[in-house]
């Protein structure tokens, strides 16, 4: 806090334990340091969003830092009778505050099993560096006999189903604005910045990806889903998760995109462990996309990769000027 006060540099710093022993605790504390000026506040407490990605399963969840409360109406400013040039100047201050929250209380559905988490905090278009948290079972989890037994138990579980098809139409043909497929693992996105929400308007999201494939995401050649309606081969269906954060009503909206991949790529010496593809869709047509008229920051997550913030503003037709 002293260093932040001395530097007077606005920002958010997030901290979390690097390791959590599942045998002895049921919580996961997050600590944040928020530094800002009074005329440009960073409202982590009232507008902040937590995002956690589980790297082993590529699942992303999100929640508000604290329960949402509608902001109070601004109080009217009493008229003093003074001219504008006679008013007292506003004095701005620089403050540093500490906040703490339990991640499990904010996201109760977080899978409390061994694995690796990436945790971030977001306020509008600010996002912290990820905190890496390892959930483990302590020394017992590393014992060879215990490990063999747990692996056998895991093999007895039914495999996850293939991710469902997208609830909105997806075009898998590139156009002039489609990003190039990354040469290395990751993904790239291009998002339309402004749109009306009235019928007939859309928000176009274009993207490309080169991402790991989970075993249950592979599509067998014997499956009817191995070919699409055009007769083209589909080798896998990967997941890319959007988190849409509003600047007035933060949400957040979590939108998993299940995308078809047309080709495998080889990373390292382990064979075709990744899949590549391109896509284009109308984000406004997705049933989970918010339609509140405001500014948004859109983020996307897959494994350790993140893209964002991508700016988006949704408008009503009442703002369209008439001739």
């Amino acid at each position: 806090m002293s260093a932040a006060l001395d530097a007077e540099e606005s920002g958010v710093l997030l901290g979390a334990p690097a390791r959590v022993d599942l045998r002895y605790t049921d919580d996961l504390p997050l600590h944040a340091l928020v530094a800002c000026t009074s005329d440009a506040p960073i409202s982590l407490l009232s507008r902040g969003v937590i995002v956690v990605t589980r790297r082993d399963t590529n699942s992303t969840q999100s929640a508000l830092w604290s329960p949402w409360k509608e902001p109070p109406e601004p109080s009217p400013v009493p008229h003093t009778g003074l001219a504008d040039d006679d008013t007292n100047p506003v004095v701005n201050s620089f403050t540093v505050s500490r906040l703490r929250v339990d991640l499990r209380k904010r996201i109760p559905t977080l899978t409390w099993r061994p694995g690796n988490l990436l945790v971030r905090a977001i306020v509008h278009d600010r996002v912290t560096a990820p905190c890496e948290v390892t959930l483990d079972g302590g020394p017992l989890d590393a014992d060879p006999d215990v490990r063999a037994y747990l692996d056998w138990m895991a093999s007895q579980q039914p495999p996850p189903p293939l991710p469902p098809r997208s609830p909105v139409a997806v075009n898998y043909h590139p156009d002039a604005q489609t990003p190039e497929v990354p040469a290395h693992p990751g993904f790239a996105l291009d998002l339309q910045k402004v749109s009306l929400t009235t019928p007939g308007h859309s928000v176009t999201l274009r993207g490309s990806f080169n991402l790991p494939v989970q075993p249950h995401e592979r599509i067998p050649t014997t499956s009817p889903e191995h070919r699409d309606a055009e007769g083209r081969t589909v080798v896998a269906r990967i997941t890319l998760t959007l988190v849409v954060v509003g600047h007035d009503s933060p949400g957040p909206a979590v939108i998993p995109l299940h995308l078809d991949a047309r080709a495998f790529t080889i990373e390292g010496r382990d064979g075709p462990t990744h899949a590549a593809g391109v896509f284009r869709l109308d984000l406004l047509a997705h049933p989970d996309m918010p339609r509140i008229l405001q500014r948004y920051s859109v983020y996307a997550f897959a494994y350790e990769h993140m893209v964002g913030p991508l700016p988006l503003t949704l408008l009503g037709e009442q703002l369209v000027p008439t001739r």
Side-chain angles (χ1 to χ4, degrees), residues 32 34 48 72 74 103 122 129 134 146-147 176 184 190 224 245 249 283 291 294 304 317:
V34 182
L103 179 62
I122 292 172
T134 298
V146 173
R147 188 71 262 158
H184 302 288
D190 178 88
V245 179
S249 298
L283 189 56
R291 289 173 168 267
Q294 61 175 335
E304 69 270 27
E317 61 181 0

Side-chain angles (χ1 to χ4, degrees), residues 26-218:
D26 290 323
D27 60 4
L28 203 170
L30 301 180
H31 295 264
L33 195 70
V34 182
C36 59
T37 58
S38 57
D39 63 327
I42 301 175
S43 305
L44 178 63
L45 185 62
S46 60
R47 295 287 193 276
V49 169
I50 305 168
V51 178
V52 55
T53 299
R54 193 175 176 95
R55 294 180 63 171
D56 49 328
T57 59
N58 187 30
S59 59
T60 295
Q61 297 172 274
S62 184
L64 293 173
W65 182 274
S66 57
W68 168 249
K69 294 181 180 179
E70 194 69 31
E73 292 292 330
S75 302
V77 178
H79 181 61
T80 62
L82 298 176
D84 289 343
D85 55 359
D86 292 330
T87 58
N88 294 325
V90 176
V91 177
N92 294 315
S93 60
F94 186 85
T95 61
V96 180
S97 57
R98 291 183 296 182
L99 300 174
R100 183 188 187 280
V101 73
D102 180 1
L103 179 62
R104 290 200 73 196
K105 288 183 178 178
R106 299 306 307 131
I107 305 181
T109 56
L110 181 68
T111 302
W112 202 240
R113 294 288 186 272
N116 296 305
L117 309 178
L118 291 176
V119 187
R120 299 173 172 91
I122 292 172
V123 183
H124 300 168
D125 57 358
R126 290 180 180 269
V127 56
T128 65
C131 291
E132 299 189 26
V133 180
T134 298
L135 306 179
D136 68 36
L140 290 179
D141 194 27
D143 181 273
D145 293 333
V146 173
R147 188 71 262 158
Y149 177 76
L150 294 176
D151 290 343
W152 175 82
M153 287 289 294
S155 69
Q156 305 305 302
Q157 305 296 318
L162 178 71
R165 293 183 184 274
S166 172
V168 296
V170 182
N171 189 319
Y172 291 103
H173 295 279
D175 63 11
Q177 293 175 257
T178 303
E180 292 289 332
V181 175
H184 302 288
F187 60 93
L189 298 177
D190 178 88
L191 179 65
Q192 180 179 332
K193 292 182 173 61
V194 182
S195 177
L196 297 179
T197 59
T198 48
H201 294 271
S202 61
V203 173
T204 303
L205 174 67
R206 296 174 174 85
S208 61
F209 57 86
N210 175 3
L211 291 171
V213 179
Q214 301 277 342
H216 70 279
E217 295 176 327
R218 292 173 177 259

